[in-house]
Amino acid sequence: MEANASVEMFSKVLENQLLQTTKQVEEHLDSEIQKLDQMDEDELEHLKEKRLKALRRAQQQKQEWLSKGHGEYREIPSERDFFQEVKESKKVVCHFYRDSTLRCNILDRHLVILSKKHLETKFLKLNVEKAPFLCERLHIKVIPTLALVKDGKTQDFVVGFSDLGNTDDFTTETLEWRLGCSDILNYSGNLTEPPFQSQKKFGTNFTKLEKKTIRGKKYDSDSDDE
C-alpha cells in the first residue's frame, strides 16, 4: 500500500510539472501571436525585411566559405599550402597523416562527413612525410594528429584516439563533440555530455595549448603519446 501511494504521489507531481510546462509554452505562444496581431503593416514589412537580410547574409557567408574550399575534405600538397589555407579561414582542422597508418584511414571517413556538415570549418589533410618542418615546429610525434587552428593560431590538438573513447570504433558524433569542445566547429549538442560512456568519468578537461602563432619561435605540445 505504501509503495502504491508513493507511485501515485510521484505520478501526480510529474503530471503537475507537465501541465505547468505546457501552460508556460502556451502563454509564450499566445504572447508572440498577440505581438504579431498588434503590429501594423509597416512593422510587419520591417520584420520581413529583417529576416530576408539575415537569409541573404547567411547565403553570402556560405558562398564565401565554399569559395575558400570549405564543404569538402581536401589534401594539400605542401607546408606552404598549409600556411596559406589557415590564413584564409577562421576555423581549420588539419589531419596530419601517413599512408601506412591504419587509424588515419579511420579518421578520413569521419572527416569527410563532418566537412560537408560544418561549412563554417575548413577540413584539410597533410602527409607528414611532405611536412617535416611543420611537424617539428608543432611537435607532432603521434600519427594521426589533428591540429585545430583558429584565427591563424593553433588552439588545440587531438592526438590519437584517446579523446575519442580510446577505440577505433568511435562514431562521427564523438569526433564532432571533441572538435566542439575546442570551439573549432559549431556543435549543437551538450558539450558536458560526451556521446560515449567511458569519457563521462573524465569530463571535458582537455589540456589546452597556449595560443601562439604557428610561425612563433616556441611551441609546446601538451602530449606526445596516445
Side-chain angles (χ1 to χ4, degrees), residues 64-72 74 85 122-124:
E64 180 182 347
W65 282 332
L66 292 174
S67 70
K68 292 179 179 180
H70 294 227
E72 59 179 334
R74 298 182 290 114
E85 293 281 0
K122 178 183 287 184
F123 288 83
L124 306 171

Side-chain angles (χ1 to χ4, degrees), residues 64-179:
E64 180 182 347
W65 282 332
L66 292 174
S67 70
K68 292 179 179 180
H70 294 227
E72 59 179 334
Y73 178 46
R74 298 182 290 114
E75 179 162 8
I76 52 177
S78 69
E79 296 170 320
R80 181 176 299 179
D81 294 277
F82 174 86
F83 291 113
Q84 183 61 36
E85 293 281 0
V86 300
K87 182 180 179 180
E88 291 178 351
S89 299
K90 181 179 178 65
K91 296 180 178 183
V92 179
V93 174
C94 186
H95 175 199
F96 287 84
Y97 82 99
R98 186 169 48 212
D99 287 326
S100 59
T101 303
L102 176 62
R103 281 188 161 185
C104 292
N105 297 329
I106 295 173
L107 262 184
D108 283 341
R109 296 197 294 269
H110 297 292
L111 292 171
V112 167
I113 296 171
L114 291 178
S115 68
K116 298 180 185 302
K117 180 178 180 180
H118 290 279
L119 296 183
E120 74 276 8
T121 303
K122 178 183 287 184
F123 288 83
L124 306 171
K125 62 185 299 187
L126 177 60
N127 192 323
V128 294
E129 295 177 358
K130 297 180 180 180
F133 167 78
L134 191 56
C135 288
E136 181 179 357
R137 179 59 58 90
L138 298 183
H139 293 188
I140 293 176
K141 301 177 181 179
V142 173
I143 304 299
T145 287
L146 298 181
L148 313 183
V149 186
K150 189 174 182 181
D151 294 323
K153 300 177 182 179
T154 302
Q155 178 167 303
D156 202 359
F157 287 117
V158 179
V159 181
F161 290 177
S162 58
D163 289 347
L164 306 173
N166 212 21
T167 174
D168 291 357
D169 298 324
F170 67 88
T171 64
T172 303
E173 290 74 21
T174 296
L175 178 57
E176 182 181 28
W177 166 81
R178 175 61 184 88
L179 297 178

Side-chain angles (χ1 to χ4, degrees), residues 183-200:
D183 192 32
I184 207 67
L185 51 73
N186 299 334
Y187 185 71
S188 59
N190 187 347
L191 290 174
T192 64
E193 296 183 0
F196 54 96
Q197 294 294 323
S198 62
Q199 184 66 32
K200 291 187 177 181

